[in-house]
């Protein structure tokens, strides 16, 4: 079954995105998903404004935070018909040695919408069926969320889920999140859901005030306090709260040079530093601190599809809140929305709706 569809294509850096019609057809093992919503991520802006190269040649539809409904299925995928789904932002092949050993995040044949294949800023998208995350629509309705709203689970929620999960955060731990816009805000909520007391650090006081109402036990504005004074203040907070002053879990989500240097400077004995944000900038650090503190540093690329159901359950149960942090906008306004997000004129994560 083929479906008439359209998508907004990136033809070059900073060139206006243009609408293109195409025919969406599901091959063997594939489905066509009618897009309910697609979140605008800073990765998209990196491709569009900063010249970060996509794996697929241009023109290309961006967008990798996608929810929708299966409207056509190829051979072997018929069981997905009419189901509400979230499409993982990173889809491992499932067949290679890495995948078979549980290392799908570094699968060399993985597919990312809006990077390796056509993305979700479209009316429809064709994707492999194997990694789809089904959505319980009864729970969705009870949560007060729309299918479009949970598109951000595909990256902004699941990425910090995997970061918190792989770091090993648990009850009684102290977690520090640097950069609490987008992914970082959900990282605060996720670490709290795993049982940690969470400190939020940012340079935007409005973001700090917002996250203080959604999981952060304490906030620090890095424009007002930094370096050793910031580390001392966090240590004092830990002492006051009866928390350990060792083994902190530090999540760098700002994707900025100052944020990454701040994160590294907060290491204490037994720390776990998780790098979640991305920047092209280089940072100056003394790598020997990892040895001296017997600490560890972890990277985090996306999230394995098998973790999506657990992350979605936290959202639908209200343990991770989406509604205060998302805003739906018509897909036809994509060029205006990209500009607004790039110019920091939107305080909430934009979700484009066809």
């Amino acid at each position: 079954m083929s479906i008439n569809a359209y998508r907004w294509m990136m033809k070059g850096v900073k060139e206006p995105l243009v609408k293109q019609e195409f025919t969406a057809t599901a091959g063997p093992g594939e489905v066509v998903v009618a897009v309910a919503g697609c979140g605008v991520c800073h990765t998209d802006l990196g491709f569009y404004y900063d010249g970060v190269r996509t794996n697929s040649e241009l023109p290309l539809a961006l967008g990798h935070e996608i929810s929708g409904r299966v409207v056509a299925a190829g051979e072997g995928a018929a069981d997905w018909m009419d189901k509400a789904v979230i499409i993982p932002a990173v889809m491992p092949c499932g067949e290679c040695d890495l995948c078979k050993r549980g290392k799908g995040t570094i699968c060399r044949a993985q597919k990312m919408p809006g990077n390796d294949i056509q993305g979700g800023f479209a009316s429809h998208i064709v994707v492999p069926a194997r990694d789809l995350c089904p959505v319980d629509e009864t729970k969705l309705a009870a949560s007060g969320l729309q299918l479009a709203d949970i598109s951000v689970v595909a990256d902004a929620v699941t990425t910090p889920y995997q970061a918190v999960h792989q770091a090993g955060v648990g009850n009684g731990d102290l977690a520090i999140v640097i950069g609490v816009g987008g992914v970082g805000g959900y990282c605060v909520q996720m670490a709290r859901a795993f049982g940690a007391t969470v400190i939020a650090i940012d340079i935007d006081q409005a973001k700090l005030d917002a996250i203080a109402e959604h999981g952060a036990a304490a906030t620090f504005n890095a424009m007002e306090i930094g370096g050793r004074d910031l580390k001392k203040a966090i240590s004092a907070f830990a002492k006051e709260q009866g928390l350990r002053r060792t083994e902190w879990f530090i999540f760098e989500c700002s994707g900025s040079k100052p944020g990454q240097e701040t994160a590294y400077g907060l290491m204490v004995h037994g720390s776990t530093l998780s790098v979640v944000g991305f920047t092209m900038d280089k940072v100056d650090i003394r790598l020997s601190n990892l040895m001296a503190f017997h600490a560890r540093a972890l990277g985090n690329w996306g999230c394995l599809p098998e973790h999506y159901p657990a992350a979605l359950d936290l959202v639908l149960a209200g343990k991770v809140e989406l509604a205060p942090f998302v805003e739906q906008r018509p897909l036809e306004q994509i060029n205006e929305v990209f500009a607004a997000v790039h110019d920091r004129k939107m305080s909430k994560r934009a979700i484009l709706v066809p």
Side-chain angles (χ1 to χ4, degrees):
M1 179 179 176
S2 297
I3 294 172
N4 294 326
Y6 66 87
R7 54 197 175 204
W8 286 85
M9 306 294 288
M10 174 184 171
K11 300 181 73 175
V13 176
K14 298 182 183 179
E15 292 185 29
L17 299 163
V18 295
K19 190 175 182 179
Q20 178 195 76
E21 294 184 355
F22 74 104
T23 301
T25 304
E30 294 180 333
V31 295
V32 177
V33 176
V35 176
C38 185
V40 179
C41 175
H42 282 274
T43 300
D44 300 312
L45 301 187
F47 292 142
Y48 183 68
Y49 286 101
D50 302 329
V52 178
R53 292 185 63 181
T54 58
N55 290 331
S56 176
E57 293 184 1
L58 301 181
L60 179 72
L62 302 177
H64 55 271
E65 289 188 340
I66 311 160
S67 60
R69 188 175 302 279
V70 176
V71 293
E75 181 181 353
D79 289 347
W80 286 99
M81 275 297 299
D82 299 322
K83 289 187 177 179
V85 299
I86 295 171
I87 299 171
V90 179
M91 295 176 283
C93 75
E95 302 296 333
C96 68
D97 176 65
L98 288 167
C99 286
K100 290 177 180 178
R101 290 190 288 117
K103 300 179 179 293
T105 53
I106 57 172
C107 168
R108 305 328 300 145
Q110 64 183 233
K111 301 298 181 185
M112 177 181 177
N115 186 5
D116 300 287
I117 60 174
Q118 297 293 343
F121 295 134
S123 62
H124 297 76
I125 182 173
V126 180
V127 293
R130 62 172 299 128
D131 290 325
L132 295 175
C133 175
V135 177
D136 185 323
E137 295 191 77
T138 300
K139 290 182 179 179
L140 179 65
S143 73
L145 296 168
Q146 299 177 10
L147 183 56
D149 294 327
I150 62 171
S151 62
V152 297
V153 170
D155 186 8
V157 173
T158 47
T159 292
Y161 177 93
Q162 178 169 272
V164 171
H165 179 272
Q166 79 168 355
V169 173
N171 290 327
D173 288 328
L174 176 63
I176 303 165
V177 179
I178 299 167
V180 294
V183 169
Y186 294 122
C187 191
V188 169
Q189 295 194 63
M190 199 61 73
R192 183 190 62 171
F194 273 64
T197 298
V198 189
I199 290 174
I201 299 172
D202 206 295
I203 59 174
D204 187 326
Q205 190 60 45
K207 291 178 181 178
L208 291 172
D209 292 342
I211 204 61
E213 299 179 5
H214 298 279
T219 64
F220 293 97
N221 191 319
M223 295 293 288
E224 299 173 359
I225 182 171
R228 293 182 178 179
D229 290 337
L230 177 59
K231 191 172 184 178
K232 288 178 181 178
I234 294 173
S235 185
F237 172 83
K239 183 178 180 180
E240 291 169 3
Q241 299 297 313
L243 300 167
R244 288 185 289 270
R245 283 181 281 174
T246 59
E247 303 161 82
W248 295 349
F249 291 88
I250 305 162
F251 298 92
E252 204 304 294
C253 298
S254 74
S256 69
K257 182 178 187 291
Q260 291 187 348
E261 291 175 342
T262 296
Y264 202 79
L266 290 177
M267 277 198 300
V268 293
H269 289 89
S271 287
T272 298
L273 169 62
S274 296
V275 180
V276 185
F278 175 80
T279 177
M280 295 288 285
D281 295 335
K282 295 181 179 180
V283 298
D284 297 317
I285 59 172
R286 188 173 67 184
L287 200 59
S288 294
N289 284 13
L290 285 170
M291 178 276 292
F293 286 120
H294 199 87
R296 59 177 180 157
L298 302 173
N300 191 83
W301 173 252
C303 180
L304 289 168
E306 50 260 43
H307 293 321
Y308 273 60
L312 178 59
D313 282 347
L314 291 174
V315 170
L316 298 184
K319 294 181 180 180
V320 173
E321 297 184 80
L322 300 187
F325 303 101
V326 298
E327 176 182 342
Q328 293 186 20
R329 297 284 291 272
L331 179 56
E332 300 288 329
Q333 296 177 9
I334 187 169
N335 284 297
E336 294 88 338
V337 169
F338 263 45
V341 176
H342 182 254
D343 295 339
R344 302 185 183 276
K345 294 180 179 179
M346 293 190 70
S347 60
K348 298 182 179 181
R349 199 170 189 87
I351 296 173
L352 295 176
V353 179

